[in-house]
Amino acid sequence: MPELHEHVERIYAEVARRNPGEDEFHQAVFEVLHSLSPVVSKHPEYVDSAVIRRLCEPERQIIFRVPWVDDDGNVQINRGFRVEFNSALGPFKGGLRFHPSVNLGIVKFLGFEQIFKNSLTGMPIGGGKGGSDFDPKGRSESEVMRFCQSFMTELYRHLGEYTDVPAGDIGVGTREIGYLFGQYKRITNRYESGTLTGKGLTWGGSQVRTEATGYGTVYFLNEMLRAGRQSFEGKQVVVSGSGNVAIYAIQKIHQLGGTVVACSDSGGYVRDQTGIDVELLKEVKEARRGRVSDYAILRGDEATFVEHGRVWEVPCDIAVPCATQNELDEDDALRLAKSGCRIVVEGANMPCTPKAVKVFSESGVLFAPGKAVNAGGVATSALEMQQNASRDSWTFQETEVRLAEIMSRIHERCLTTADQYDRPGDYVSGANIAGFIQVADAMLALGVI
Ligand code: GLU
């Protein structure tokens, strides 16, 4: 790795010192700062105006108590977060994650990534993220509803179509967005559709939003294949996870002619050499809220479930991590490279550890980062905001065409920028630099605020 420019090195040291214990946030900042070293050398104006230092400090961080009563009558207390990271390009925009692992450092890493991701979409959205350490697993419908209502009772005062627009992430889907939106509407006495995205189709949601992150990931991958004069035909793909991103990535890979031979959840992975039956997977995960082990049982002889196994053991041409941060480590990367995997794209946010990414670059595995690859979700959220603002609703086909165009533009932007900074084919540098420059120029234009 080339040396860090001394200006960004100082910033990194400051971030690490001022945000103790927030390892994922440090990791996300380090990766971006690393890519920015050549930009700083070329553009002293970003140093003079302290744009990078300002970018690393969230505009506002909200932490709040979320009390609620469970089905047994016990009072439960969770912690809620919203990190409003940067609004130079538009209202804060980013999902809410409900998962026991959520803490301030996780939300800050996600919010920081979101700034560059949202910038790359070319749409007028700033970066933010939120969530709670609430664990929806095993909770009843009414417990989830009561939790969402309590969460929104505090958060609503910070939201608005011109201020901050949350959506879903891990543990937050259409059901939760419904309860959140219902409570927002009740408190404010206003039907402000543009305040939340990922809504249901009959109450202001957009076609393709559910599919968008997974579909967008595969559109990006398809652009990478095309740039290398290849296609999905005959390719074996391993997808980790089995949530919203994974399901629709699998569906689109199959539509484009590839075969997904394995997917996973926290209990293990399922291998299905003839290709994952995506309709069955949807039934198990979405309708029954079940596990991939249930999928394996229902699928019969075609499938094998490996309890607690690592999905990256399965040989493939392409790997698409779609579960969570740091799920693919150095050993997994070495195993993938050895088994002949040639392309890795991040469907999740930062699923590959820095050491894994280093292995990919040293072994000639083409790698693209989440902030470019999975930007289709938030881009379609911005399309949802457009439809809400104009009180319109577009067809599935129209919306999908828009998504495909956006992904192709992001891919193009990554490659062109990487070329400009003498890093041809380096999607990490391309994404970080292109995302950064647009936000940084807006921050310069808006003054020291
Ligand atoms: N949580 C998604 C992401 O990581 C979507 C955010 C949104 O639609 O606002 O980008």
Side-chain angles (χ1 to χ4, degrees):
M1 272 198 188
E3 290 291 288
L4 276 188
H5 185 284
E6 70 175 303
H7 175 66
V8 297
E9 192 174 334
R10 267 204 306 278
I11 296 175
Y12 180 70
E14 189 184 7
V15 167
R17 182 178 59 76
R18 297 183 72 211
N19 302 278
E22 297 178 351
D23 296 348
E24 291 83 2
F25 179 49
H26 301 173
Q27 183 184 331
V29 170
F30 187 85
E31 191 221 84
V32 170
L33 291 185
H34 190 264
S35 299
L36 295 185
S37 287
V39 184
V40 171
S41 313
K42 258 195 189 170
H43 296 280
E45 65 273 25
Y46 297 137
V47 177
D48 300 341
S49 55
V51 163
I52 305 176
R53 280 179 62 210
R54 280 191 277 149
L55 251 174
C56 293
E57 183 70 17
E59 288 181 32
R60 188 180 292 120
Q61 307 182 54
I62 303 148
I63 305 180
F64 52 100
R65 180 173 67 192
V66 190
W68 57 283
V69 180
D70 69 18
D71 286 347
D72 298 325
N74 299 314
V75 175
Q76 301 283 342
I77 312 286
N78 286 101
R79 191 171 286 173
F81 302 91
R82 186 72 181 165
V83 173
E84 298 183 333
F85 225 118
N86 192 293
S87 61
L89 294 176
F92 303 106
K93 181 83 198 87
L96 298 170
R97 177 177 292 191
F98 292 169
H99 191 269
S101 64
V102 168
N103 57 41
L104 183 61
I106 296 278
V107 179
K108 271 157 82 175
F109 121 64
L110 290 164
F112 185 75
E113 291 282 292
Q114 201 83 41
I115 304 171
F116 305 94
K117 184 196 302 195
N118 294 5
S119 166
L120 276 172
T121 66
M123 304 176 93
I125 42 179
K129 203 86 183 191
S132 173
D133 57 1
F134 172 71
D135 188 357
K137 218 184 264 165
R139 290 294 177 190
S140 69
E141 280 276 336
S142 43
E143 288 179 318
V144 170
M145 181 174 75
R146 284 196 297 277
F147 173 79
C148 289
Q149 290 174 338
S150 180
F151 186 86
M152 186 53 91
T153 301
E154 173 57 34
L155 190 64
Y156 87 95
R157 70 191 80 246
H158 303 287
L159 307 184
E161 74 174 297
Y162 297 108
T163 310
D164 187 348
V165 183
D169 195 82
I170 294 172
V172 179
T174 314
R175 175 181 70 172
E176 290 73 20
I177 294 294
Y179 297 145
L180 292 163
F181 182 65
Q183 184 72 354
Y184 181 85
K185 184 175 83 60
R186 189 179 188 196
I187 296 173
T188 58
N189 193 33
R190 291 168 69 89
Y191 204 105
E192 293 176 7
S193 305
T195 299
L196 283 160
T197 61
K199 299 181 293 298
L201 294 179
T202 53
W203 40 279
S206 173
Q207 296 285 352
V208 196
R209 178 62 191 89
T210 305
E211 296 84 356
T213 314
Y215 278 17
T217 294
V218 179
Y219 283 131
F220 192 97
L221 182 50
N222 198 35
E223 293 293 327
M224 289 169 79
L225 287 166
R226 279 176 41 181
R229 294 185 218 302
Q230 295 181 63
S231 79
F232 272 109
E233 228 42 66
K235 296 281 190 301
Q236 302 231 322
V237 187
V238 167
V239 170
S240 69
S242 48
N244 170 267
V245 182
I247 288 174
Y248 294 99
I250 297 171
Q251 189 174 72
K252 188 51 81 179
I253 291 168
H254 287 171
Q255 281 174 16
L256 296 182
T259 308
V260 178
V261 292
C263 69
S264 63
D265 63 21
S266 56
Y269 72 84
V270 64
R271 191 168 175 170
D272 198 330
Q273 217 48 45
T274 53
I276 298 284
D277 178 341
V278 80
E279 286 312 313
L280 180 62
L281 185 66
K282 268 175 74 168
E283 162 69 23
V284 169
K285 299 296 291 197
E286 289 180 350
R288 305 186 191 194
R289 295 185 185 266
R291 315 288 299 158
V292 295
S293 53
D294 302 325
Y295 166 93
I297 293 167
L298 291 165
R299 180 79 161 138
D301 290 345
E302 302 282 337
T304 351
F305 176 66
V306 182
E307 197 175 352
H308 302 310
R310 290 190 78 75
V311 73
W312 313 117
E313 289 164 8
V314 179
C316 59
D317 305 299
I318 301 171
V320 190
C322 294
T324 194
Q325 67 273 358
N326 293 330
E327 57 160 306
L328 194 164
D329 65 18
E330 187 179 19
D331 288 344
D332 298 321
L334 286 165
R335 194 180 293 132
L336 279 170
K338 216 168 134 198
S339 79
C341 174
R342 302 320 304 156
I343 303 182
V344 177
V345 296
E346 295 187 321
N349 292 313
M350 207 171 76
C352 299
T353 66
K355 284 186 178 163
V357 177
K358 190 159 175 263
V359 169
F360 296 142
S361 95
E362 287 168 359
S363 42
V365 174
L366 200 56
F367 171 79
K371 60 172 79 70
V373 171
N374 72 36
V378 75
T380 308
S381 278
L383 299 179
E384 183 172 334
M385 291 163 74
Q386 275 185 38
Q387 292 169 78
N388 294 150
S390 58
R391 302 189 184 281
D392 196 358
S393 67
W394 309 340
T395 64
F396 192 96
Q397 211 204 340
E398 264 178 283
T399 321
E400 197 182 3
V401 167
R402 295 283 294 266
L403 170 63
E405 283 167 4
I406 292 166
M407 295 317 297
S408 146
R409 260 201 314 267
I410 296 174
H411 177 266
E412 177 68 37
R413 248 177 115 180
C414 290
L415 284 190
T416 319
T417 311
D419 277 345
Q420 276 166 6
Y421 284 85
D422 294 326
R423 313 203 58 91
D426 177 350
Y427 285 95
V428 173
S429 296
N432 286 334
I433 298 174
F436 167 77
I437 287 178
Q438 184 156 341
V439 187
D441 288 345
M443 288 175 75
L444 283 182
L446 299 182
V448 178
I449 51 167

